[in-house]
Amino acid sequence: MPLAITSVIETPRLKLRLVRETDLTDLMAVNGDDLVTRHLPYATWQSMADAQAWFERMQRLQAPGTAQQCVVIRKEDHRVIGSCLLFRYEEGSARAELGYVLGRAHWGQGLMREALSGLIAHAFSDLALRRLEAEVNPANHASVKLLERLGFVREGLLRKRWVAKGEAYDVEIFGLLKGELRLNSTPSPMG
Ligand SMILES: CC(C)(COP(=O)(O)OP(=O)(O)OC[C@H]1O[C@@H](n2cnc3c(N)ncnc32)[C@H](O)[C@@H]1OP(=O)(O)O)[C@@H](O)C(=O)NCCC(=O)NCCS
């Protein structure tokens, strides 16, 4: 069975649904920012042509049923403020990888934690996944913290795995098994 998100995922402040071409203007504001893409394996979008090329790439990735690209919509004003993705779906192992990005203006409000909580809960229930993975540059402190708060376990370091923006870098692999998602973890006093 192909990976298929067929409904809108709702959290208190957000909605997640599959990306549409009409989302690209909002997504340009997210991915057109060097600080946002600093740790991502693609170049900062320079124009709507880059946005369109990304959309077409996502459509091709989704076609065989091994990926689903969602946008993160703020309920308050219906703006698309980020995106999150399930990809590299392996049906036999009921496993997929997670990717995510949020516009800089929205960082630090627990919004991606809320979005991923909704997506992951959906992945483990409706999509019947049993394991999720994420690869993160260890220098990406916000992303590491986010995954740890959700219950992901740091499983190992893959040395010089990626080359992006002219540089080879290590990645840490994080894994989360069904039943391990932490929905309402309170930050510790040490942060
Ligand atoms: C990573 C990212 C999605 C986090 O989104 P966010 O909505 O700001 O994250 P949250 O507010 O849910 O915060 C998650 C945790 O990280 C912490 N955090 C946020 N920014 C941080 C930073 N720069 N350094 C250290 N910790 C940070 C938060 O305090 C929070 O921890 P807490 O629960 O102890 O308070 C966002 O920074 C982003 O889009 N970055 C660029 C794209 C990217 O790197 N994607 C991931 C690729 S692997």
Side-chain angles (χ1 to χ4, degrees):
M1 286 255 291
L3 193 66
I5 296 177
T6 53
S7 54
V8 174
I9 300 168
E10 273 207 55
T11 69
R13 292 176 289 176
L14 304 167
K15 282 187 184 184
L16 277 68
R17 62 149 168 79
L18 288 183
V19 65
R20 298 174 188 152
E21 204 165 347
T22 47
D23 298 323
L24 290 179
T25 309
D26 281 346
L27 287 174
M28 180 75 214
V30 176
N31 293 290
D33 179 340
D34 286 332
L35 201 63
V36 170
T37 64
R38 184 162 59 138
H39 296 297
L40 297 177
Y42 54 82
T44 307
W45 297 0
Q46 301 299 326
S47 66
M48 286 305 287
D50 289 341
Q52 192 64 40
W54 172 87
F55 182 73
E56 282 159 21
R57 202 162 65 245
M58 287 305 133
Q59 297 304 109
R60 284 196 298 275
L61 203 64
Q62 291 188 140
T66 55
Q68 292 280 265
Q69 174 71 64
C70 289
V71 286
V72 177
I73 300 166
R74 190 166 54 183
K75 279 185 187 175
E76 185 185 296
D77 56 4
H78 311 290
R79 283 278 308 279
V80 170
I81 58 170
S83 64
C84 47
L85 158 83
L86 291 173
F87 66 121
R88 295 193 186 138
Y89 169 58
E90 290 279 346
E91 187 179 357
S93 303
R95 175 185 83 218
E97 192 170 328
L98 191 62
Y100 42 88
V101 58
L102 190 68
R104 197 201 311 186
H106 313 287
W107 290 359
Q109 302 166 44
L111 285 166
M112 191 48 83
R113 186 158 131 199
E114 186 174 318
L116 293 183
S117 296
L119 179 63
I120 293 168
H122 185 76
F124 285 143
S125 55
D126 306 69
L127 305 181
L129 295 190
R130 44 164 291 282
R131 176 180 161 88
L132 287 168
E133 298 175 353
E135 285 184 9
V136 183
N137 181 336
N140 191 349
H141 302 296
S143 187
V144 167
K145 189 76 165 291
L146 170 64
L147 291 171
E148 287 178 340
R149 286 273 180 243
L150 288 164
F152 277 78
V153 173
R154 207 183 280 241
E155 296 180 335
L157 185 76
L158 307 176
R159 295 174 308 144
K160 305 291 178 206
R161 175 151 165 81
W162 286 94
V163 177
K165 301 177 175 96
E167 212 180 311
Y169 62 93
D170 298 342
V171 296
E172 300 236 56
I173 177 121
F174 284 79
L176 183 79
L177 300 180
K178 186 172 179 165
E180 291 179 341
L181 175 62
R182 283 202 251 143
L183 280 174
N184 290 309
S185 55
T186 320
S188 72
M190 298 302 289

